[in-house]
Amino acid sequence: MKINDNYSRLEKSYLFSEIARRTAGKDVLRLGIGDVTLPLAPVVISAMQHAATEFRGYGEEQGYKFLRDAVVDYYAPKGVGLENSEVFISDGAKSDLGNILDIFSCDATVLIPNPVYPVYVDTNIMAGRKIVYAKWGAPDPEVRADIIYICSPNNPTGEVYNKDELSAWVEYAIANNAVILFDAAYEAFVRDPELPTSIYQIPNAKKCAIEFCSLSKTAGFTGVRCGWTIVPHETGLNELWLRRQTTKFNGVSYIVQRGAQAALSPQGVVQNRANIDHYMGNAKIIMDALDELGIEYKGGKNAPYIWLKCPDNMTSWQYFDHLLNKHQIVGTPGAGFGSAGEGHFRLSAFAKREDIVMAMGRLREYSILR
Ligand code: MLT
């Protein structure tokens, strides 16, 4: 058989699988993968329990209308008007961030921030696309690209673009006749009301941007699986994506979509807000400890990740081994998010509160992160 040779250009394993492998069976404090630790909101549980008693056959590939309408309503207070035909219900942002590439040519040049969520790089390597890397900040007018990834709030650094900065990217995309793939998975963690939580809050973004969002972190759906992808008609890509989805996807289960609808209801938003506040409380505990220890970091204020500089010029994997072996703490090495992440390390605020308190206690006890 002839296999896809591009796979030979990938790292041997996916970042979070590698970390899971290295820490399997160990009694450790897990501040690595951004996996939620609080249960689903009560309103979501009862909606799913009820839905389980209702019989359904195949649903609409694009998602049930009741949930697409709920997504439209979720965007309205952001000042974003959507049509429900622009909303596609997914099984989470990760899948669609990869799947969307089906509708773009493999000859396209892709611009990817560095450091960033590794799915963007890996899925484009699989397709053999040319990748150019960009630092966080303003677009470089000298660099040409057809597909532009933006993750804001950024995973892993926790940085968030303001409206002017995002406007510059929208203008750049339009000038390049490019599409922006905007990953908004962490939008619910933005605290500063001046910061945008959707790219469609930026003028003209509906002409050039596809937005991916997820209930994984917002509503504790990492194991339940539901999110959405917005493909505005103005991009000219909506029908293509619909064609792709109706062929390759049979939709998210009815039970899960009823749970997602409940998560987006006014009561669901209030209940989920309490969980988000709890995680941001975890972020504060981490930041307080780092402040006390004089460790440089970013993030944590409008995002659930804290991005710190490894002490003693350690590489990020050296620091990973050090924290794991000496303090039984698991984090995520910055190099796993791209070359620009080398020398940095990510801590996740999604960990259990008691684990975070204990981990920060251990670091304080040794007075520095050593
Ligand atoms: C992360 O830790 O970066 C995320 O949990 C990964 C993901 O959402 O797939």
Side-chain angles (χ1 to χ4, degrees):
M1 76 190 85
K2 275 186 141 188
I3 60 158
N4 179 349
D5 203 32
N6 294 317
Y7 277 65
S8 64
R9 288 187 262 281
L10 292 166
E11 292 289 333
K12 192 163 179 303
S13 36
Y14 179 61
L15 174 63
F16 294 105
S17 316
E18 177 61 21
I19 293 170
R21 190 188 66 75
R22 292 192 191 203
T23 62
K26 295 195 172 153
D27 185 15
V28 287
L29 304 173
R30 295 186 185 275
L31 281 68
I33 190 162
D35 194 4
V36 292
T37 47
L38 293 174
L40 292 168
V43 72
V44 171
I45 295 173
S46 56
M48 289 172 71
Q49 280 171 333
H50 179 75
T53 65
E54 298 176 86
F55 174 75
R56 282 291 183 289
Y58 288 125
E60 288 173 65
E61 295 93 342
Q62 193 174 343
Y64 285 99
K65 183 175 173 300
F66 64 77
L67 183 53
R68 289 186 283 119
D69 286 344
V71 172
V72 169
D73 291 346
Y74 183 72
Y75 275 79
K78 297 174 189 272
V80 173
L82 297 174
E83 287 177 39
N84 68 21
S85 55
E86 296 177 311
V87 179
F88 294 76
I89 303 305
S90 70
D91 64 345
K94 179 182 182 180
S95 319
D96 268 8
L97 280 159
N99 294 337
I100 196 78
L101 295 171
D102 272 11
I103 65 169
F104 299 113
S105 161
C106 288
D107 293 338
T109 298
V110 187
L111 189 139
I112 301 184
N114 185 4
V116 88
Y117 185 40
V119 167
Y120 315 157
V121 172
D122 286 1
T123 50
N124 280 288
I125 290 177
M126 287 172 183
R129 285 194 189 84
K130 181 178 168 208
I131 300 175
V132 290
Y133 293 95
K135 285 198 189 127
W136 182 263
D140 178 350
E142 301 297 313
V143 175
R144 230 210 67 75
D146 305 297
I147 301 173
I148 299 158
Y149 285 84
I150 298 177
C151 180
S152 178
N154 184 256
N155 178 11
T157 62
E159 291 163 298
V160 188
Y161 277 126
N162 66 31
K163 287 189 178 150
D164 289 343
E165 290 164 335
L166 268 191
S167 297
W169 280 103
V170 167
E171 281 162 28
Y172 169 81
I174 291 172
N176 275 275
N177 197 19
V179 64
I180 293 177
L181 303 181
F182 187 77
D183 184 351
Y186 299 96
E187 55 84 32
F189 295 82
V190 171
R191 291 293 162 104
D192 180 343
E194 295 301 314
L195 292 172
T197 56
S198 164
I199 192 149
Y200 304 123
Q201 291 169 321
I202 307 302
N204 294 322
K206 281 184 110 186
K207 293 187 181 146
C208 65
I210 296 177
E211 180 161 303
F212 303 83
C213 203
S214 167
L215 290 173
S216 285
K217 315 295 157 81
T218 307
F221 270 51
T222 51
V224 177
R225 309 306 310 151
C226 197
W228 60 82
T229 300
I230 311 288
V231 188
H233 292 294
E234 285 174 64
T235 58
L237 299 168
N238 183 285
E239 283 183 17
L240 213 53
W241 180 239
L242 180 64
R243 185 69 180 84
R244 189 270 177 207
Q245 289 299 80
T246 46
T247 307
K248 289 199 181 182
F249 190 49
N250 259 341
V252 174
S253 83
Y254 174 73
I255 298 168
V256 166
Q257 292 196 54
R258 281 292 184 199
Q261 179 191 26
L264 295 178
S265 69
Q267 210 186 345
V269 167
V270 169
Q271 292 178 1
N272 286 318
R273 175 52 55 183
N275 288 0
I276 292 169
D277 287 348
H278 173 89
Y279 294 130
M280 294 309 274
N282 287 348
K284 174 88 170 57
I285 293 170
I286 298 173
M287 290 190 293
D288 285 348
L290 298 183
D291 283 338
E292 220 173 277
L293 295 165
I295 305 291
E296 249 181 75
Y297 65 89
K298 287 178 190 169
K301 296 196 173 75
N302 291 292
Y305 296 124
I306 289 100
W307 181 248
L308 59 97
K309 209 164 158 6
C310 302
D312 295 343
N313 293 321
M314 275 190 249
T315 68
S316 50
W317 279 106
Q318 279 169 342
Y319 192 50
F320 173 87
D321 288 335
H322 173 82
L323 279 189
L324 177 63
N325 298 329
K326 198 149 178 204
H327 303 298
Q328 291 72 53
I329 296 171
V330 180
T332 310
F337 297 98
S339 57
E342 186 53 281
H344 290 81
F345 202 75
R346 193 192 78 174
L347 294 175
S348 162
F350 290 113
K352 292 186 192 133
R353 172 70 56 94
E354 64 268 27
D355 283 6
I356 289 187
V357 169
M358 208 182 293
M360 293 306 113
R362 284 183 197 171
L363 298 181
R364 277 196 178 96
E365 201 180 312
Y366 287 85
S367 74
I368 41 174
L369 284 179
R370 291 173 194 163

